[in-house]
Amino acid sequence: MRRSLRLKLVLSQLGLIVLAMGLAGLLLLTSLERYFLEATEESLVAQARITAQTLIPGAMMAGPPVETQSPLANTLQQRSASNLALQTDNLALPGDAVTPSDFDLSYLADTSLQLGTQLETRIRVLDAAGIVLVDSATSLDAAESTQGLDLQNDPLVMQALQGEYASQAIEDRWEPTMAVAMPAMVDGELVGVVYLTQPLRDVDAVLGDLRGRWAWSTAIALVLSGIVGLLLARAITRPLLRLTTAAGAVAQGHFDEQVPVRSSDELGRLSRAFNDMVSRLRAARLMQTTFVANVSHELRTPLTAIKGMVETLRDGAVDDVLVRDRFLETVETETDRLIRLVNDLLVLTRTDAEALNLNREPLDLAELARVTIAQLTPQAEAKELALQLEVAPAVPLAWADRDRIAQVLVNLLDNAIKYSHQGNAVMVSIAPDAAERSVLVRVTDHGIGIPAEDLPHIGQRFYRADKARTRTRTHDRGAQSGSGLGLSIAAPLIEAHGGRLWVESEEGVGTTASFTLPAE
């Protein structure tokens, strides 16, 4: 099961969902926590300013500018202003005659501070030495009051006594708290510190609720994505399973396997490619079987003739000189036929394996055509045929292997001679092909031609267009019968040179075999 593609797809999708939801939740919750903490801090700053305005006349508070506050902080500040009600007892504010140098907060020592507020804020006012003068906790629980306590070693108070605003979210073991310490300045001189703390239980409650909702959302997303992933993985793996089963059947030799194509996506294209591959393999298997059968037939015919001649000579015909010479000549002819067939098969094998070595050189095709025509003239004269050569002016040299091109010319001329009517001519024409920077060679006969239905199959191995008519037209075709490998050898030889070979024919009129070779 660990190696199942379906399981891997589902687990990878679930892993991606967990990663995405985890990162999104972490970023969102972190941003919200920072946002709430900043809003709480700015709310405390607003409360500190209100406290200072009530208790310390003319005091200026050092803190963040109001215009930079967040919308939530502005809302909390408005609530603070409306809900914060300071009630003081024994508050004796200093008169106007007090100068800033003589100004201190000693008048707050006997003042009690009560908060009528819905906000759980603790307010403490410290003098310039860090001594707590007023503590709002006094009216609630005297045990928790710090009035008269020296807090100058408190990190926030220490920073505020230096005239700097300080704030911190304190992670207490019982309850997290937001603390703000703001220096109170009168005419630029520090006269005291307003120290506010507020528990963050509401923020924690909101964040806890959001975390719970995020966890439920993640769980629901995992369940839904798991279901969707299973359906998607099934839709992907079922065609692959069919392909795997079909591939195994093909590997065992069953070339009739086909897989259904039910989509046009990549899996559908893969299924179509597999079906096309199987069809090609089936055709190749059939071609291989046919090829082996044809090779066996072609080899068996001369071998049977040779064996029969040898047995006849052994039975006493060797004593008759005329019979012996005629039989030996036949044996020689059949042996040459076997050698040609074996050589043709060797060339085919090399071209199929792309292991054909070409010794290219500048080649005069006109001169090669004259040599080939002279070589086949006796065969043409036996059928009263004329071999003609027509060379256009300014024919460039070809870049080709002389022996291979000679083999192509011999094959084409041999076919033209065999399939021409007695008394006609076979024309070899050579001309430049400026459009393709190549040399064009045509071999034209005026023979029986090739039927239109057979023309597409010309060049297939052992294919003969005259199979059904051999018995009725042997007088037109000559006594010899080819192996059907001529064009199937010539075509790959020309293509190996970078050229192309094609055949044009009309039944009863004649055939033209053409090929091109790159010019030097």
Side-chain angles (χ1 to χ4, degrees):
M1 190 64 178
R2 295 179 182 175
R3 299 181 180 179
S4 171
L5 179 60
R6 180 183 301 181
L7 179 62
K8 291 179 180 178
L9 289 174
V10 173
L11 291 180
S12 63
Q13 183 173 353
L14 292 180
L16 183 62
I17 294 295
V18 169
L19 180 61
M21 293 290 290
L23 289 177
L26 178 63
L27 292 176
L28 178 61
L29 292 175
T30 302
S31 300
L32 286 175
E33 182 178 11
R34 186 186 307 113
Y35 184 76
F36 287 141
L37 290 178
E38 291 176 355
T40 303
E41 177 185 351
E42 291 168 359
S43 173
L44 290 178
V45 170
Q47 294 180 61
R49 287 195 173 99
I50 295 173
T51 302
Q53 291 171 5
T54 303
L55 301 179
I56 307 173
M60 300 295 295
M61 306 302 293
V66 177
E67 58 270 14
T68 62
Q69 293 179 351
S70 65
L72 178 59
N74 289 332
T75 301
L76 293 177
Q77 179 177 341
Q78 293 174 4
R79 289 185 178 181
S80 300
S82 61
N83 294 329
L84 181 63
L86 295 176
Q87 299 178 2
T88 60
D89 293 329
N90 302 323
L91 176 62
L93 296 174
D96 295 337
V98 178
T99 62
S101 60
D102 297 330
F103 191 94
D104 60 43
L105 300 181
S106 59
Y107 64 90
L108 297 176
D110 297 327
T111 302
S112 63
L113 184 66
Q114 296 180 0
L115 299 178
T117 177
Q118 297 176 358
L119 299 175
E120 298 180 298
T121 306
R122 181 179 183 181
I123 300 176
R124 284 173 285 186
V125 181
L126 291 68
D127 63 12
I131 305 299
V132 179
L133 301 175
V134 180
D135 188 350
S136 63
T138 303
S139 59
L140 300 176
D141 187 353
E144 292 190 8
S145 175
T146 58
Q147 191 168 5
L149 187 66
D150 186 359
L151 297 182
Q152 64 177 342
N153 292 327
D154 186 290
L156 297 181
V157 174
M158 186 182 301
Q159 187 173 346
L161 291 176
Q162 295 175 0
E164 299 178 0
Y165 164 78
S167 65
Q168 183 181 6
I170 302 173
E171 295 292 336
D172 188 81
R173 60 180 295 183
W174 302 110
E175 185 177 54
T177 305
M178 172 60 71
V180 169
M182 296 183 64
M185 314 291 292
V186 175
D187 292 338
E189 295 184 9
L190 177 71
V191 297
V193 174
V194 179
Y195 191 18
L196 291 87
T197 58
Q198 179 176 321
L200 296 174
R201 66 173 67 94
D202 292 338
V203 174
D204 281 351
V206 172
L207 291 177
D209 182 66
L210 290 176
R211 291 188 185 97
R213 294 176 183 271
W214 168 79
W216 276 107
S217 301
T218 302
I220 294 173
L222 286 176
V223 172
L224 294 178
S225 61
I227 296 173
V228 174
L230 284 173
L231 295 177
L232 180 61
R234 182 181 180 185
I236 293 175
T237 55
R238 285 185 66 182
L240 293 178
L241 182 60
R242 287 195 295 265
L243 283 170
T244 302
T245 303
V250 171
Q252 294 177 1
H254 303 288
F255 295 103
D256 55 346
E257 290 291 330
Q258 292 286 300
V259 294
V261 180
R262 297 175 179 173
S263 63
S264 57
D265 55 8
E266 289 80 0
L267 288 174
R269 291 196 293 271
L270 178 61
S271 299
R272 281 192 292 271
F274 177 83
N275 292 337
D276 182 63
M277 179 196 69
V278 173
S279 299
R280 292 176 180 269
L281 285 175
R282 185 167 53 247
R285 179 68 174 272
L286 180 61
M287 183 181 297
Q288 180 186 21
T289 303
T290 305
F291 180 78
V292 172
N294 288 328
V295 169
S296 301
H297 174 75
E298 294 295 333
L299 292 174
R300 184 178 59 185
T301 302
L303 289 175
T304 300
I306 293 174
K307 180 176 176 59
M309 299 293 179
V310 172
E311 289 177 350
T312 304
L313 291 174
R314 182 182 294 171
D315 290 338
V318 68
D319 296 330
D320 189 333
V321 177
L322 295 179
V323 174
R324 182 191 61 192
D325 292 343
R326 181 163 56 85
F327 279 17
L328 291 176
E329 182 180 356
T330 303
V331 169
E332 183 180 10
T333 302
E334 296 298 334
T335 303
D336 291 339
R337 181 181 175 186
L338 280 174
I339 293 174
R340 287 195 303 271
L341 180 59
V342 171
N343 289 335
D344 290 345
L345 292 174
L346 180 60
V347 172
L348 281 177
T349 302
R350 289 178 176 175
T351 55
D352 288 343
E354 298 182 355
L356 190 64
N357 295 322
L358 298 177
N359 298 318
R360 296 193 180 190
E361 60 182 356
L363 178 61
D364 186 349
L365 287 176
E367 185 270 334
L368 180 61
R370 293 188 185 94
V371 173
T372 306
I373 288 174
Q375 177 184 347
L376 297 178
T377 295
Q379 181 180 339
E381 290 178 347
K383 290 191 62 174
E384 300 180 2
L385 295 174
L387 300 182
Q388 301 175 355
L389 176 63
E390 182 181 84
V391 181
V395 175
L397 297 177
W399 182 248
D401 186 319
R402 180 183 181 88
D403 293 336
R404 299 302 182 188
I405 301 306
Q407 187 177 3
V408 172
L409 283 174
V410 168
N411 282 334
L412 296 182
L413 281 172
D414 183 66
N415 283 340
I417 293 171
K418 289 177 181 178
Y419 302 150
S420 291
H421 296 300
Q422 189 172 3
N424 288 329
V426 175
M427 173 65 70
V428 179
S429 61
I430 302 175
D433 189 349
E436 299 184 7
R437 298 193 66 229
S438 60
V439 183
L440 174 63
V441 180
R442 295 179 182 272
V443 178
T444 304
D445 65 64
H446 302 283
I448 63 175
I450 302 172
E453 64 271 16
D454 290 325
L455 195 57
H457 303 287
I458 295 299
Q460 293 182 4
R461 297 170 186 181
F462 296 103
Y463 185 86
R464 299 190 188 91
D466 64 328
K467 287 186 294 185
R469 303 168 304 176
T470 301
R471 293 187 300 270
T472 59
R473 295 196 177 185
T474 50
H475 61 282
D476 288 330
R477 307 296 300 251
Q480 296 183 1
S481 176
S483 64
L485 293 176
L487 286 178
S488 60
I489 292 176
L493 287 177
I494 294 299
E495 291 170 0
H497 283 81
R500 61 189 185 96
L501 184 147
W502 67 98
V503 177
E504 301 167 299
S505 183
E506 183 177 351
E507 188 174 11
V509 177
T511 302
T512 298
S514 308
F515 66 89
T516 60
L517 288 173
E520 183 188 14

